[in-house]
Amino acid sequence: DQLTQLIESLIPSDCLVVYTPAIPKNSIVLNYFMTKQFRVIKRAEALGEITRSSKSIGVAGTHGKSTTSCMLAYLMRNSVVGCNAFLGAISTNFKTNFLVDEHSDFSVVEADEFDRSFLFLSPFAAIITTIDPDHLDIYGTAEKFKEGFRQFAMKIDPNGFLIVKEGISVGSLCKQKTYALESNSADYAAYNLKDTSHGCIFDFRTPKGVINNINIGINGLHNAENAVAALAVVSELGLDVASIASSFSGFQGIKRRFERIYQDEQLVYIDDYAHHPMELKRLIESVRAMYPSQHITGVFQPHLFSRTKDFADGFAEQLSMLDEVILLPIYPARELPIQGVDSAWLLSKIKSQVKSLVNPSELLDFLRIKQHGVLLTIGAGDIDRLVEPIKEMLEINRSQV
């Protein structure tokens, strides 16, 4: 009764109520709205309506879509056309995941494949970064997962365009342009890549020519690849790529994507959202390229029992590339446990010589001895709650050295 009175006092009955898949079906608040006279729709449906009333650009892909959509929004906000944006992560530059520009016809929308949400969208243009199978609890098979992306590509406006990573094959009614790193055959490509202390720098080849020494402001070869996709959209929209690209050095990235939390002469601490084997591969390869002689320790929290079960061998293969692996218990999110699937089982598959299973409450004490090398915290669960405590612990420890 108190909840009812509170809602009725604050929210008019003609309000549109939007919810996400993160809200459980037994939510008291959600069910209140559904049983009353409110219009209740999924976030994906709301975004679908927005894409039909604006010139939207959907950014899809198993990996890289959050960073790529933030990059694209940042570049377009530094252009004459501007943009609105509905992002899947917090932009460090804008300190939000929602951007409004009343004077722009464009909207950048992160097109999420989970629960087939991206099939609600009707984009003018789109990017597809990767189609590595995931969410098999929803799709069932890898082929059905890929079919979801093919259906998404067919929803793009025939007068628009699709920017797709070279090697991905999807049908569409619009024109397609490919992108890649170090490729002579892709329509858009980056080459002469260098990771510097000020960000990744590369030369950018377009169908119209070359732009030299673009600095994207953040590190990581995987981020350079994301940047090429975003720049390709800018080019296909007919904007001044060279002028807009000059602003890229001010890009500060997004929260929990290759985010450097702490650094001194001996120790670097990076936090990342990676929760799929291919994301781990891209992360670890980028860290190895940046710190080739350093000891790399990874603290990984597996996300979902089903994903751990489906990709256990892939997780084990990539985690084995670390010098030391620390596993936390599986973060269940929306799932119930699966018998036999736990972090101890995953740990047994990892080939690293130094590996441990640690409870979150014990992690800080476990990490106190870290005095040099690279430390990674990795995962899409609640491991982010440990980031600030770890940072504070490292700052105190390092100040006493």
Side-chain angles (χ1 to χ4, degrees):
D1 289 341
Q2 290 181 338
L3 176 62
T4 300
Q5 292 174 6
L6 178 62
I7 293 175
E8 290 176 347
S9 68
L10 295 175
I11 304 175
S13 60
D14 59 350
C15 274
L16 170 65
V17 177
V18 180
Y19 70 99
T20 77
I23 304 300
K25 293 181 179 179
N26 62 354
S27 164
I28 295 174
V29 176
L30 176 61
N31 280 281
Y32 169 84
F33 288 124
M34 296 185 78
T35 55
K36 299 297 180 178
Q37 299 303 311
F38 290 87
R39 183 185 174 208
V40 182
I41 63 174
K42 286 185 175 181
R43 180 177 183 272
E45 294 177 73
L47 290 177
E49 293 187 12
I50 291 168
T51 62
R52 288 187 287 275
S53 61
S54 66
K55 217 168 187 179
S56 64
I57 304 166
V59 182
T62 318
H63 329 297
K65 56 184 174 287
S66 293
T67 300
T68 305
S69 58
C70 280
M71 285 177 165
L72 180 57
Y74 176 82
L75 293 176
M76 293 187 69
R77 297 279 282 205
N78 281 282
S79 76
V80 296
V81 298
C83 76
N84 303 277
F86 302 84
L87 310 172
I90 302 298
S91 161
T92 302
N93 290 91
F94 302 114
K95 296 179 175 56
T96 181
N97 61 349
F98 173 52
L99 303 176
V100 178
D101 184 341
E102 296 178 358
H103 304 291
S104 179
D105 295 328
F106 288 94
S107 293
V108 175
V109 178
E110 182 166 331
D112 190 2
E113 75 278 3
F114 173 72
D115 202 26
R116 298 182 174 86
S117 292
F118 60 176
L119 298 185
F120 284 98
L121 307 181
S122 299
F124 167 73
I127 295 171
I128 296 180
T129 61
T130 47
I131 311 183
D132 295 318
D134 196 4
H135 304 300
L136 299 187
D137 55 321
I138 301 294
Y139 289 89
T141 66
E143 182 54 39
K144 288 182 179 178
F145 180 82
K146 293 177 181 178
E147 178 59 30
F149 278 86
R150 288 190 280 267
Q151 292 176 20
F152 170 74
M154 292 298 291
K155 294 178 71 64
I156 302 169
D157 188 325
N159 297 314
F161 57 88
L162 170 62
I163 304 298
V164 61
K165 184 178 176 181
E166 188 175 39
I168 293 176
S169 177
V170 292
S172 64
L173 301 176
C174 62
K175 69 176 179 179
Q176 293 191 28
K177 297 291 184 178
T178 58
Y179 74 94
L181 299 182
E182 302 287 2
S183 171
N184 294 321
S185 53
D187 297 302
Y188 293 90
Y191 58 99
N192 295 334
L193 292 105
K194 301 183 289 290
D195 249 329
T196 75
S197 58
H198 302 292
C200 190
I201 299 173
F202 56 80
D203 297 328
F204 179 54
R205 179 175 52 76
T206 81
K208 297 180 180 179
V210 175
I211 303 172
N212 293 317
N213 296 319
I214 294 177
N215 183 348
I216 64 172
I218 59 175
N219 293 105
L221 298 182
H222 59 301
N223 284 323
E225 188 173 83
N226 296 331
V228 173
L231 288 165
V233 170
V234 170
S235 176
E236 290 298 317
L237 289 174
L239 301 173
D240 184 347
V241 182
S243 174
I244 297 170
S246 66
S247 70
F248 222 152
S249 61
F251 182 68
Q252 298 173 18
I254 57 180
K255 294 295 183 181
R256 304 220 61 230
R257 280 15 174 232
F258 210 84
E259 185 179 7
R260 191 178 282 105
I261 305 297
Y262 175 85
Q263 181 172 359
D264 62 25
E265 295 80 5
Q266 300 295 322
L267 183 66
V268 178
Y269 171 30
I270 296 170
D271 180 49
D272 196 273
Y273 190 72
H275 56 285
H276 183 282
M278 290 306 298
E279 292 170 350
L280 285 173
K281 176 180 172 65
R282 288 154 66 102
L283 170 64
I284 296 169
E285 286 180 347
S286 291
V287 173
R288 282 284 181 210
M290 291 174 63
Y291 306 100
S293 61
Q294 296 296 315
H295 183 279
I296 302 175
T297 300
V299 181
F300 179 58
Q301 181 188 49
H303 184 261
L304 298 178
F305 294 102
S306 59
R307 181 181 283 124
T308 304
K309 174 178 175 290
D310 291 334
F311 302 110
D313 290 340
F315 281 125
E317 179 183 0
Q318 301 308 324
L319 291 168
S320 295
M321 302 304 293
L322 294 165
D323 297 305
E324 180 178 356
V325 179
I326 300 170
L327 284 190
L328 301 182
I330 296 172
Y331 183 76
R334 56 188 177 271
E335 292 185 338
L336 295 174
I338 298 175
Q339 186 174 2
V341 178
D342 57 23
S343 289
W345 171 68
L346 178 58
L347 190 73
S348 70
K349 293 175 172 287
I350 296 171
K351 297 179 180 178
S352 300
Q353 293 298 310
V354 184
K355 56 183 182 179
S356 309
L357 179 60
V358 177
N359 287 320
S361 61
E362 303 168 341
L363 183 62
L364 288 182
D365 286 335
F366 200 85
L367 294 177
R368 288 187 194 281
I369 61 171
K370 296 297 175 187
Q371 297 293 336
H372 60 85
V374 180
L375 173 65
L376 308 175
T377 47
I378 314 165
D382 61 358
I383 191 171
D384 61 314
R385 297 180 182 181
L386 297 171
V387 172
E388 279 302 314
I390 292 172
K391 177 186 177 183
E392 291 174 7
M393 181 270 292
L394 292 177
E395 288 174 338
I396 293 171
N397 279 6
R398 298 298 298 159
S399 67
Q400 296 174 348
V401 174

